[in-house]
């Protein structure tokens, strides 16, 4: 009898300990399904609409070979103008630019924001594509990104990006995260209100008149009294939405960019991105305009909450390992593998061998949650991390002589 009660108590304690994880899992899956259902309905815009389009590129210590390849891909698209805003220290990229029919603006002002502003002021086309200097376009990007602008309410259009030449663990996992983003969050936000939260700076297209309108607000952004020097893509997207315009993802516009392949630079980049996201989303959620886009507001809240809830899963895994509960360990590990595979199914269709990287994808997800929490704790810190610039005494300054772009991903 005592053995029966002991066994019953152990079973009760077992379910009492692990039940919260099951409930949390159901809630998180419900939140994902609320995004995934509309994402399945996403369709790119198809029409013959075309307007003049220029490319504006801030250039800082880019790899010359990648830079040349990128320029050739933009020109092959038949764009009306290419404006390269090159840092005064970057002689190598200026030499590359001299080989092509482009406009070069040399700047001695550190930081990306001022370079973007100088670029769109120098560009004379109706539409302006803000592009990173390591981003390579497919042959039809210029035509594809124009199509959503047939709707006069559209102020900005984003593209679908992937990793250029993804070799090695981190690059392949990054490619998985990108497909997850463009087939999940961005697709759902496009369907549910045409309000994409962030048009990635790798390639984002705006109406030039709108860029000129928001220019002052873009350059004067602060957070808790500290000037913001990064997060330019989030800021521009927010300014467009704030003014009542819409943002759209044209997934048929394919671009490829380089990404960090070493853990140190990967973490530094993700930390910068996470700080930018926290600053932008917390500010947006305190304003009325975002609640006119309820789905967008909900995804912002969900993204913030998930940074904390995601870490409960490895906590329970560690607890089970300590208790030597190998059955639960096996079940949870299997669930991680199967559930994440379902969520990144569009990527697995494109790259089936990535199925064997799913456990690594899960681990990186946990690491990124830690990074996001640390980013929230250090949210006031303003430093590019991959560029030799920072904010000191309220001014954007160079922190060291420019070197080659080993870390500027």
């Amino acid at each position: 009898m005592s053995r029966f009660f002991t066994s019953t108590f152990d079973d009760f304690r077992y379910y009492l300990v692990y039940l919260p994880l099951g409930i949390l899992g159901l809630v998180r899956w419900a939140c994902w399904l609320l995004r995934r259902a509309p994402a399945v309905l996403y369709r790119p815009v198809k029409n013959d609409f075309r307007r003049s389009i220029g490319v504006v590129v801030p250039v800082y210590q880019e790899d010359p070979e990648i830079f040349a390849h990128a320029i050739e891909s933009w020109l092959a698209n038949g764009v009306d103008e290419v404006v390269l805003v090159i840092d005064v220290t970057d002689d190598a990229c200026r030499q590359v630019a001299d080989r092509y029919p482009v406009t070069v603006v040399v700047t001695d002002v550190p930081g990306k924001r001022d370079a973007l502003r100088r670029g769109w002021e120098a560009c004379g086309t109706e539409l302006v594509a803000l592009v990173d200097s390591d981003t390579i376009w497919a042959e039809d990007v210029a035509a594809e990104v124009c199509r959503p602008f047939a709707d006069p309410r559209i102020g900005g259009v984003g593209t679908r990006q992937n990793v250029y030449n993804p070799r090695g663990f981190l690059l392949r996992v990054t490619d998985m995260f990108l497909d997850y983003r463009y087939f999940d969050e961005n697709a759902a936000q496009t369907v549910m209100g045409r309000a994409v939260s962030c048009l990635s700076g790798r390639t984002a297209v705006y109406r030039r008149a709108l860029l000129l309108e928001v220019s002052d607000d873009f350059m004067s952004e602060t957070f808790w009294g500290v000037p913001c020097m990064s997060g330019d893509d989030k800021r521009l997207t927010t300014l467009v939405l704030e003014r009542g315009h819409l943002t759209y993802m044209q997934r048929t516009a394919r671009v490829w960019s380089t990404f960090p392949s070493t853990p140190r630079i990967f973490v530094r980049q993700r930390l910068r991105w996470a700080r930018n996201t926290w600053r932008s989303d917390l500010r947006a959620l305190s304003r009325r305009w975002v609640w006119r886009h309820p789905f967008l507001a909900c995804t912002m809240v969900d993204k913030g909450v998930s940074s904390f809830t995601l870490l409960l899963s490895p906590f329970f895994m560690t607890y089970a390992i300590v208790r030597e509960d190998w059955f639960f360990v096996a079940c949870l590990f299997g669930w991680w593998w199967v559930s994440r595979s379902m969520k990144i199914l569009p990527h697995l269709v494109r790259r089936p061998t990535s199925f064997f990287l799913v456990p690594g994808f899960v681990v990186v997800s946990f690491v990124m949650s830690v990074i996001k929490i640390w980013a929230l704790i250090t949210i006031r810190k303003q430093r590019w991390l991959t560029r030799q610039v920072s904010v000191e005494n309220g001014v954007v300054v160079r922190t060291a002589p420019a070197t080659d772009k080993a870390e500027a991903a």
Side-chain angles (χ1 to χ4, degrees), residues 29 32 36 172-173 175-181 183-184 336-352 354-359 361-362 365:
W29 265 86
W32 176 75
R36 189 59 185 151
R172 293 192 62 183
V173 167
D175 203 45
M176 295 163 75
F177 277 108
L178 287 172
D179 275 346
Y180 178 64
R181 175 185 180 185
F183 282 87
D184 190 289
W336 285 350
W337 202 326
V338 172
S339 63
R340 292 305 192 283
S341 297
M342 293 174 62
K343 290 183 177 182
I344 62 170
L345 187 59
H347 176 84
L348 295 180
V349 170
R350 184 169 68 89
R351 291 184 176 275
S354 292
F355 176 76
F356 300 102
L357 293 177
V358 170
F361 175 83
V362 173
S365 299

Short mmCIF file of all heavy atoms in Angstrom, two decimals, residues 29 32 36 172-173 175-181 183-184 336-352 354-359 361-362 365:
data_model
loop_
_atom_site.label_atom_id
_atom_site.label_comp_id
_atom_site.label_asym_id
_atom_site.label_seq_id
_atom_site.Cartn_x
_atom_site.Cartn_y
_atom_site.Cartn_z
N TRP A 29 2.06 27.64 -29.40
CA TRP A 29 1.64 27.09 -30.69
C TRP A 29 0.40 27.82 -31.19
O TRP A 29 0.26 28.05 -32.40
CB TRP A 29 1.36 25.59 -30.57
CG TRP A 29 2.56 24.81 -30.98
CD1 TRP A 29 3.62 24.46 -30.20
CD2 TRP A 29 2.85 24.33 -32.28
NE1 TRP A 29 4.55 23.78 -30.93
CE2 TRP A 29 4.12 23.68 -32.22
CE3 TRP A 29 2.18 24.36 -33.50
CZ2 TRP A 29 4.70 23.08 -33.33
CZ3 TRP A 29 2.76 23.77 -34.60
CH2 TRP A 29 4.01 23.13 -34.52
N TRP A 32 1.61 30.96 -32.72
CA TRP A 32 2.24 30.72 -34.01
C TRP A 32 1.19 30.46 -35.09
O TRP A 32 1.30 30.98 -36.21
CB TRP A 32 3.19 29.52 -33.92
CG TRP A 32 3.79 29.17 -35.25
CD1 TRP A 32 4.78 29.84 -35.92
CD2 TRP A 32 3.43 28.06 -36.10
NE1 TRP A 32 5.06 29.23 -37.11
CE2 TRP A 32 4.25 28.15 -37.26
CE3 TRP A 32 2.51 27.03 -35.99
CZ2 TRP A 32 4.17 27.21 -38.29
CZ3 TRP A 32 2.43 26.10 -37.02
CH2 TRP A 32 3.24 26.20 -38.14
N ARG A 36 0.70 31.92 -38.70
CA ARG A 36 0.94 31.03 -39.85
C ARG A 36 -0.28 30.94 -40.76
O ARG A 36 -0.14 30.83 -41.99
CB ARG A 36 1.32 29.63 -39.34
CG ARG A 36 1.80 28.70 -40.45
CD ARG A 36 3.00 29.29 -41.14
NE ARG A 36 3.43 28.48 -42.28
CZ ARG A 36 4.03 28.96 -43.34
NH1 ARG A 36 4.28 30.26 -43.43
NH2 ARG A 36 4.39 28.17 -44.32
N ARG A 172 24.35 28.63 -42.50
CA ARG A 172 23.18 27.83 -42.88
C ARG A 172 22.04 28.02 -41.89
O ARG A 172 20.87 28.08 -42.29
CB ARG A 172 23.57 26.35 -42.99
CG ARG A 172 24.51 26.05 -44.15
CD ARG A 172 24.62 24.57 -44.41
NE ARG A 172 23.35 23.98 -44.78
CZ ARG A 172 23.16 22.68 -45.00
NH1 ARG A 172 24.18 21.83 -44.89
NH2 ARG A 172 21.97 22.22 -45.34
N VAL A 173 22.35 28.14 -40.62
CA VAL A 173 21.30 28.41 -39.62
C VAL A 173 20.70 29.80 -39.84
O VAL A 173 19.49 29.99 -39.73
CB VAL A 173 21.86 28.26 -38.20
CG1 VAL A 173 20.89 28.83 -37.17
CG2 VAL A 173 22.13 26.78 -37.89
N ASP A 175 20.42 31.28 -42.65
CA ASP A 175 19.54 31.14 -43.81
C ASP A 175 18.20 30.55 -43.40
O ASP A 175 17.15 30.92 -43.95
CB ASP A 175 20.22 30.26 -44.85
CG ASP A 175 19.69 30.49 -46.25
OD1 ASP A 175 19.53 31.66 -46.64
OD2 ASP A 175 19.42 29.50 -46.96
N MET A 176 18.21 29.64 -42.43
CA MET A 176 16.96 29.06 -41.93
C MET A 176 16.12 30.12 -41.24
O MET A 176 14.89 30.20 -41.45
CB MET A 176 17.29 27.91 -40.96
CG MET A 176 17.99 26.73 -41.62
SD MET A 176 18.81 25.60 -40.46
CE MET A 176 17.40 24.74 -39.78
N PHE A 177 16.75 30.95 -40.42
CA PHE A 177 16.01 32.02 -39.74
C PHE A 177 15.41 32.99 -40.74
O PHE A 177 14.29 33.50 -40.54
CB PHE A 177 16.94 32.76 -38.77
CG PHE A 177 17.10 32.11 -37.45
CD1 PHE A 177 18.28 31.48 -37.10
CD2 PHE A 177 16.06 32.11 -36.52
CE1 PHE A 177 18.43 30.87 -35.86
CE2 PHE A 177 16.19 31.51 -35.29
CZ PHE A 177 17.39 30.88 -34.95
N LEU A 178 16.13 33.29 -41.81
CA LEU A 178 15.62 34.23 -42.81
C LEU A 178 14.38 33.68 -43.50
O LEU A 178 13.38 34.40 -43.67
CB LEU A 178 16.71 34.54 -43.84
CG LEU A 178 17.85 35.42 -43.33
CD1 LEU A 178 18.96 35.51 -44.38
CD2 LEU A 178 17.35 36.83 -43.00
N ASP A 179 14.41 32.43 -43.90
CA ASP A 179 13.22 31.84 -44.54
C ASP A 179 12.05 31.82 -43.56
O ASP A 179 10.90 32.05 -43.96
CB ASP A 179 13.53 30.43 -45.04
CG ASP A 179 14.16 30.43 -46.42
OD1 ASP A 179 14.11 31.48 -47.10
OD2 ASP A 179 14.71 29.39 -46.83
N TYR A 180 12.33 31.51 -42.31
CA TYR A 180 11.27 31.51 -41.30
C TYR A 180 10.63 32.90 -41.21
O TYR A 180 9.41 33.04 -41.12
CB TYR A 180 11.85 31.10 -39.94
CG TYR A 180 10.86 31.11 -38.81
CD1 TYR A 180 9.77 30.24 -38.81
CD2 TYR A 180 11.00 31.98 -37.73
CE1 TYR A 180 8.86 30.25 -37.77
CE2 TYR A 180 10.09 31.98 -36.69
CZ TYR A 180 9.03 31.12 -36.70
OH TYR A 180 8.12 31.13 -35.68
N ARG A 181 11.45 33.94 -41.26
CA ARG A 181 10.95 35.30 -41.16
C ARG A 181 10.07 35.67 -42.36
O ARG A 181 8.98 36.23 -42.19
CB ARG A 181 12.13 36.27 -41.08
CG ARG A 181 11.72 37.74 -41.10
CD ARG A 181 12.94 38.63 -41.13
NE ARG A 181 12.58 40.04 -41.15
CZ ARG A 181 13.46 41.03 -41.27
NH1 ARG A 181 14.74 40.75 -41.38
NH2 ARG A 181 13.05 42.28 -41.28
N PHE A 183 8.54 33.71 -44.60
CA PHE A 183 7.38 32.86 -44.84
C PHE A 183 6.43 32.84 -43.64
O PHE A 183 5.38 32.22 -43.71
CB PHE A 183 7.81 31.43 -45.17
CG PHE A 183 8.30 31.28 -46.58
CD1 PHE A 183 9.62 31.52 -46.90
CD2 PHE A 183 7.42 30.92 -47.58
CE1 PHE A 183 10.08 31.40 -48.21
CE2 PHE A 183 7.87 30.78 -48.90
CZ PHE A 183 9.20 31.02 -49.20
N ASP A 184 6.79 33.54 -42.58
CA ASP A 184 5.96 33.53 -41.37
C ASP A 184 5.58 34.96 -41.00
O ASP A 184 4.55 35.49 -41.45
CB ASP A 184 6.73 32.85 -40.24
CG ASP A 184 5.85 32.58 -39.01
OD1 ASP A 184 5.50 33.57 -38.33
OD2 ASP A 184 5.52 31.42 -38.72
N TRP A 336 11.28 19.18 -29.91
CA TRP A 336 12.02 20.32 -30.46
C TRP A 336 12.30 20.09 -31.94
O TRP A 336 12.09 20.98 -32.76
CB TRP A 336 13.36 20.48 -29.72
CG TRP A 336 13.25 21.08 -28.35
CD1 TRP A 336 12.15 21.64 -27.78
CD2 TRP A 336 14.29 21.15 -27.38
NE1 TRP A 336 12.44 22.08 -26.51
CE2 TRP A 336 13.75 21.79 -26.24
CE3 TRP A 336 15.63 20.74 -27.36
CZ2 TRP A 336 14.52 22.03 -25.10
CZ3 TRP A 336 16.39 20.98 -26.22
CH2 TRP A 336 15.84 21.61 -25.10
N TRP A 337 12.77 18.90 -32.27
CA TRP A 337 13.17 18.61 -33.65
C TRP A 337 11.95 18.66 -34.59
O TRP A 337 11.98 19.30 -35.64
CB TRP A 337 13.84 17.25 -33.71
CG TRP A 337 14.72 17.05 -34.90
CD1 TRP A 337 14.55 17.55 -36.16
CD2 TRP A 337 15.93 16.27 -34.95
NE1 TRP A 337 15.56 17.15 -36.99
CE2 TRP A 337 16.42 16.37 -36.27
CE3 TRP A 337 16.63 15.52 -34.01
CZ2 TRP A 337 17.59 15.73 -36.69
CZ3 TRP A 337 17.80 14.88 -34.41
CH2 TRP A 337 18.28 14.98 -35.73
N VAL A 338 10.88 17.98 -34.17
CA VAL A 338 9.69 17.90 -35.03
C VAL A 338 8.99 19.25 -35.15
O VAL A 338 8.64 19.69 -36.25
CB VAL A 338 8.71 16.83 -34.49
CG1 VAL A 338 7.39 16.88 -35.26
CG2 VAL A 338 9.32 15.45 -34.58
N SER A 339 8.80 19.92 -34.02
CA SER A 339 8.04 21.18 -34.04
C SER A 339 8.78 22.27 -34.81
O SER A 339 8.17 23.01 -35.59
CB SER A 339 7.75 21.65 -32.61
OG SER A 339 8.95 21.92 -31.91
N ARG A 340 10.09 22.37 -34.62
CA ARG A 340 10.84 23.39 -35.36
C ARG A 340 10.87 23.06 -36.86
O ARG A 340 10.87 23.95 -37.69
CB ARG A 340 12.26 23.51 -34.82
CG ARG A 340 12.36 24.09 -33.43
CD ARG A 340 11.67 25.44 -33.29
NE ARG A 340 12.01 26.10 -32.06
CZ ARG A 340 11.52 25.82 -30.86
NH1 ARG A 340 10.64 24.83 -30.75
NH2 ARG A 340 11.87 26.49 -29.79
N SER A 341 10.92 21.78 -37.18
CA SER A 341 10.89 21.39 -38.58
C SER A 341 9.59 21.82 -39.24
O SER A 341 9.57 22.27 -40.40
CB SER A 341 11.07 19.87 -38.73
OG SER A 341 12.33 19.47 -38.25
N MET A 342 8.49 21.70 -38.51
CA MET A 342 7.21 22.14 -39.05
C MET A 342 7.20 23.65 -39.28
O MET A 342 6.67 24.13 -40.29
CB MET A 342 6.08 21.75 -38.08
CG MET A 342 5.86 20.26 -37.97
SD MET A 342 4.64 19.84 -36.70
CE MET A 342 3.17 20.66 -37.35
N LYS A 343 7.82 24.40 -38.37
CA LYS A 343 7.79 25.85 -38.47
C LYS A 343 8.68 26.38 -39.60
O LYS A 343 8.44 27.47 -40.11
CB LYS A 343 8.19 26.48 -37.13
CG LYS A 343 7.14 26.28 -36.04
CD LYS A 343 7.52 26.97 -34.75
CE LYS A 343 6.43 26.82 -33.70
NZ LYS A 343 6.75 27.52 -32.43
N ILE A 344 9.71 25.62 -39.95
CA ILE A 344 10.60 26.08 -41.02
C ILE A 344 10.43 25.21 -42.28
O ILE A 344 11.35 25.09 -43.08
CB ILE A 344 12.08 26.08 -40.57
CG1 ILE A 344 12.54 24.67 -40.20
CG2 ILE A 344 12.30 27.05 -39.42
CD1 ILE A 344 14.05 24.57 -39.99
N LEU A 345 9.24 24.66 -42.44
CA LEU A 345 8.98 23.77 -43.57
C LEU A 345 9.31 24.40 -44.92
O LEU A 345 9.90 23.73 -45.78
CB LEU A 345 7.53 23.29 -43.54
CG LEU A 345 7.16 22.20 -44.56
CD1 LEU A 345 8.02 20.96 -44.35
CD2 LEU A 345 5.68 21.86 -44.44
N PRO A 346 8.97 25.68 -45.18
CA PRO A 346 9.34 26.27 -46.47
C PRO A 346 10.84 26.22 -46.74
O PRO A 346 11.26 26.03 -47.89
CB PRO A 346 8.85 27.72 -46.35
CG PRO A 346 7.72 27.65 -45.39
CD PRO A 346 8.14 26.62 -44.38
N HIS A 347 11.64 26.39 -45.69
CA HIS A 347 13.09 26.29 -45.89
C HIS A 347 13.50 24.86 -46.17
O HIS A 347 14.36 24.61 -47.04
CB HIS A 347 13.83 26.80 -44.64
CG HIS A 347 15.31 26.63 -44.75
ND1 HIS A 347 16.13 27.54 -45.38
CD2 HIS A 347 16.15 25.63 -44.31
CE1 HIS A 347 17.38 27.12 -45.34
NE2 HIS A 347 17.42 25.97 -44.69
N LEU A 348 12.90 23.89 -45.46
CA LEU A 348 13.27 22.49 -45.66
C LEU A 348 12.88 22.01 -47.06
O LEU A 348 13.55 21.13 -47.61
CB LEU A 348 12.62 21.62 -44.59
CG LEU A 348 13.08 21.88 -43.15
CD1 LEU A 348 12.36 20.94 -42.19
CD2 LEU A 348 14.58 21.71 -43.02
N VAL A 349 11.83 22.58 -47.62
CA VAL A 349 11.46 22.24 -48.98
C VAL A 349 12.55 22.69 -49.94
O VAL A 349 12.90 21.99 -50.90
CB VAL A 349 10.11 22.88 -49.35
CG1 VAL A 349 9.82 22.73 -50.84
CG2 VAL A 349 8.98 22.25 -48.54
N ARG A 350 13.12 23.87 -49.67
CA ARG A 350 14.19 24.42 -50.52
C ARG A 350 15.52 23.73 -50.26
O ARG A 350 16.29 23.47 -51.18
CB ARG A 350 14.32 25.92 -50.27
CG ARG A 350 15.33 26.61 -51.16
CD ARG A 350 15.20 28.13 -51.04
NE ARG A 350 15.60 28.64 -49.75
CZ ARG A 350 16.85 29.01 -49.43
NH1 ARG A 350 17.82 28.91 -50.33
NH2 ARG A 350 17.12 29.47 -48.23
N ARG A 351 15.81 23.43 -48.98
CA ARG A 351 17.07 22.78 -48.60
C ARG A 351 16.79 21.61 -47.66
O ARG A 351 16.88 21.75 -46.44
CB ARG A 351 18.00 23.79 -47.92
CG ARG A 351 18.56 24.87 -48.85
CD ARG A 351 19.53 25.76 -48.11
NE ARG A 351 20.14 26.74 -48.96
CZ ARG A 351 21.23 26.53 -49.71
NH1 ARG A 351 21.82 25.36 -49.69
NH2 ARG A 351 21.72 27.49 -50.49
N PRO A 352 16.42 20.45 -48.18
CA PRO A 352 16.05 19.30 -47.33
C PRO A 352 17.12 18.88 -46.34
O PRO A 352 16.81 18.41 -45.24
CB PRO A 352 15.76 18.18 -48.35
CG PRO A 352 15.43 18.91 -49.62
CD PRO A 352 16.28 20.13 -49.61
N SER A 354 18.85 20.57 -44.50
CA SER A 354 18.83 21.39 -43.28
C SER A 354 18.06 20.71 -42.15
O SER A 354 18.16 21.14 -40.99
CB SER A 354 18.20 22.76 -43.57
OG SER A 354 19.03 23.52 -44.42
N PHE A 355 17.32 19.65 -42.47
CA PHE A 355 16.60 18.90 -41.43
C PHE A 355 17.56 18.43 -40.35
O PHE A 355 17.22 18.41 -39.16
CB PHE A 355 15.88 17.71 -42.06
CG PHE A 355 15.19 16.82 -41.06
CD1 PHE A 355 13.99 17.21 -40.48
CD2 PHE A 355 15.75 15.60 -40.68
CE1 PHE A 355 13.35 16.39 -39.55
CE2 PHE A 355 15.12 14.78 -39.77
CZ PHE A 355 13.91 15.17 -39.20
N PHE A 356 18.78 18.09 -40.73
CA PHE A 356 19.76 17.58 -39.76
C PHE A 356 20.39 18.71 -38.95
O PHE A 356 21.10 18.44 -37.98
CB PHE A 356 20.84 16.78 -40.49
CG PHE A 356 20.29 15.60 -41.24
CD1 PHE A 356 20.12 15.65 -42.63
CD2 PHE A 356 19.89 14.46 -40.57
CE1 PHE A 356 19.59 14.58 -43.33
CE2 PHE A 356 19.35 13.37 -41.26
CZ PHE A 356 19.20 13.44 -42.64
N LEU A 357 20.13 19.95 -39.33
CA LEU A 357 20.64 21.10 -38.58
C LEU A 357 19.60 21.66 -37.61
O LEU A 357 19.88 22.62 -36.91
CB LEU A 357 21.07 22.21 -39.55
CG LEU A 357 22.27 21.93 -40.44
CD1 LEU A 357 22.51 23.11 -41.38
CD2 LEU A 357 23.52 21.67 -39.60
N VAL A 358 18.41 21.07 -37.60
CA VAL A 358 17.33 21.60 -36.76
C VAL A 358 17.72 21.64 -35.28
O VAL A 358 17.44 22.64 -34.60
CB VAL A 358 16.03 20.80 -36.96
CG1 VAL A 358 14.98 21.19 -35.92
CG2 VAL A 358 15.49 21.05 -38.37
N PRO A 359 18.38 20.61 -34.71
CA PRO A 359 18.80 20.73 -33.30
C PRO A 359 19.70 21.94 -33.08
O PRO A 359 19.58 22.65 -32.07
CB PRO A 359 19.53 19.42 -33.03
CG PRO A 359 18.92 18.45 -33.98
CD PRO A 359 18.65 19.24 -35.22
N PHE A 361 19.68 24.65 -34.89
CA PHE A 361 18.78 25.80 -35.04
C PHE A 361 18.07 26.09 -33.72
O PHE A 361 17.92 27.26 -33.32
CB PHE A 361 17.77 25.47 -36.14
CG PHE A 361 16.70 26.50 -36.35
CD1 PHE A 361 16.93 27.63 -37.13
CD2 PHE A 361 15.44 26.34 -35.78
CE1 PHE A 361 15.93 28.57 -37.34
CE2 PHE A 361 14.44 27.27 -35.98
CZ PHE A 361 14.69 28.39 -36.76
N VAL A 362 17.65 25.03 -33.02
CA VAL A 362 16.98 25.20 -31.72
C VAL A 362 17.92 25.81 -30.69
O VAL A 362 17.55 26.74 -29.98
CB VAL A 362 16.44 23.84 -31.22
CG1 VAL A 362 15.89 23.98 -29.80
CG2 VAL A 362 15.37 23.31 -32.16
N SER A 365 18.43 29.38 -31.30
CA SER A 365 17.23 30.11 -30.88
C SER A 365 17.29 30.46 -29.40
O SER A 365 16.94 31.58 -28.99
CB SER A 365 15.97 29.29 -31.17
OG SER A 365 15.82 29.02 -32.53
#
